[in-house]
Amino acid sequence: MFRIWAKVIVGEKIQKQITYMREDKFTYSEFFNYLSDICEALDIATPILLKTHIFNYAKFRTVKFLPRDFAEKPEFDKLVLDNITM
């Protein structure tokens, strides 16, 4: 089981947030699927996922998606995913 805290941030304020939970084991090969589920729940576009995003999540347990990571300009400043340890 794993949990990811997802936050949509405008300025320095959290506008939307969810805690994404799955019962199965976390795998990096499924990270795009997790990201897609999170973005669908937040009702935002899914960003382009690069290897550097996955490496940052693996190393620092957090990843930040900026407007340049989206195909269309989003209405927020960043999307942040944080790993929640159980």
Side-chain angles (χ1 to χ4, degrees):
M1 177 182 201
F2 66 91
R3 296 187 299 174
I4 299 172
W5 181 26
K7 302 169 280 195
V8 173
I9 300 175
V10 176
E12 296 299 319
K13 295 186 179 187
I14 297 174
Q15 296 298 314
K16 297 180 188 178
Q17 64 179 338
I18 65 160
T19 301
Y20 179 74
M21 295 186 291
R22 293 279 297 255
E23 292 296 326
D24 52 343
K25 186 178 177 190
F26 180 87
T27 57
Y28 288 102
S29 62
E30 292 290 315
F31 196 82
F32 182 76
N33 294 331
Y34 308 149
L35 179 61
S36 296
D37 291 345
I38 289 167
C39 290
E40 184 177 330
L42 289 169
D43 194 30
I44 60 173
T46 303
I48 298 166
L49 183 64
L50 303 173
K51 285 183 181 179
T52 55
H53 294 126
I54 296 171
F55 292 149
N56 283 339
Y57 190 80
K59 187 172 182 178
F60 302 112
R61 302 167 62 103
T62 188
V63 64
K64 186 185 321 178
F65 295 94
L66 301 174
R68 67 176 179 238
D69 297 317
F70 291 83
E72 296 178 10
K73 185 173 170 41
E75 297 179 6
F76 51 87
D77 295 330
K78 57 189 164 186
L79 168 65
V80 180
L81 306 181
D82 291 323
N83 182 12
I84 301 175
T85 308
M86 297 190 67

